[in-house]
Amino acid sequence: MASRVEKYLAHLDRLSGGREPRFFPVESTKQGLRGVTEIVYDDLPDGLLTTLTYGLSLAEHPDWQHGSPELCLSVNSTNVIWAHAVGFLAEQLRGTCPFSYGSTINFGERIVPESEMTAFCVFAPIALGRDDYLVSCDSVSIT
């Protein structure tokens, strides 16, 4: 039987058409929780860097009644710092931030040097269809 992470990665493999991602581990600062992994796809979809997390959903939050989220960001850049910022936020805020649609998460400084952006607004992923992110991979919810 496939593990939770194997099911999640198989789902991402289907969505990406088998494209190989890069993986960046983020060490856990939460006792009893494994770290977060940044899963990065270059030029997917065309011209975008897309990153997803795995590990946010391992935490619990009282607002997560029907599933638990992972984060997804698609940006017109090749700078992997975007992925590291998302992984950092997922690891640092899991269990305390609900990551609900409309939430603003202030990064506190420029996310990458070439952008004025200092915060994220949580909303549906632009690079995935609704049926692709509102699914449950046998206990792995992507929202």
Side-chain angles (χ1 to χ4, degrees), residues 22 24 38-40 48-53 71-90 107 109-120:
R22 293 184 286 157
F24 298 92
E38 304 159 7
I39 304 163
V40 180
L48 300 180
L49 178 131
T50 296
T51 186
L52 299 104
T53 59
L71 302 181
C72 176
L73 173 73
S74 295
V75 62
N76 187 15
S77 176
T78 58
N79 193 337
V80 76
I81 293 174
W82 288 103
H84 299 330
V86 171
F88 172 81
L89 291 174
F107 198 71
E109 61 187 75
R110 285 182 176 197
I111 298 165
V112 296
E114 64 267 17
S115 173
E116 296 289 324
M117 196 167 137
T118 60
F120 291 102

Side-chain angles (χ1 to χ4, degrees), residues 83-132:
H84 299 330
V86 171
F88 172 81
L89 291 174
E91 200 291 316
Q92 290 292 305
L93 299 178
R94 61 185 172 162
T96 59
C97 178
F99 294 97
S100 54
Y101 286 178
S103 298
T104 301
I105 301 171
N106 188 348
F107 198 71
E109 61 187 75
R110 285 182 176 197
I111 298 165
V112 296
E114 64 267 17
S115 173
E116 296 289 324
M117 196 167 137
T118 60
F120 291 102
C121 180
V122 179
F123 205 69
I126 64 166
L128 300 175
R130 183 174 173 83
D131 291 341
D132 295 329

Side-chain angles (χ1 to χ4, degrees), residues 1-107:
M1 179 178 254
S3 70
R4 181 179 187 186
V5 69
E6 289 170 329
K7 292 174 188 175
Y8 182 65
L9 292 174
H11 180 69
L12 295 182
D13 193 47
R14 285 188 299 276
L15 293 178
S16 71
R19 294 271 296 271
E20 273 299 313
R22 293 184 286 157
F23 296 92
F24 298 92
V26 180
E27 191 172 320
S28 180
T29 61
K30 314 287 187 212
Q31 188 171 6
L33 281 178
R34 292 185 176 176
V36 168
T37 300
E38 304 159 7
I39 304 163
V40 180
Y41 294 92
D42 297 300
D43 199 34
L44 186 68
D46 293 338
L48 300 180
L49 178 131
T50 296
T51 186
L52 299 104
T53 59
Y54 180 77
L56 171 60
S57 64
L58 300 176
E60 294 182 7
H61 191 280
D63 289 356
W64 300 345
Q65 299 297 314
H66 303 289
S68 51
E70 291 296 341
L71 302 181
C72 176
L73 173 73
S74 295
V75 62
N76 187 15
S77 176
T78 58
N79 193 337
V80 76
I81 293 174
W82 288 103
H84 299 330
V86 171
F88 172 81
L89 291 174
E91 200 291 316
Q92 290 292 305
L93 299 178
R94 61 185 172 162
T96 59
C97 178
F99 294 97
S100 54
Y101 286 178
S103 298
T104 301
I105 301 171
N106 188 348
F107 198 71

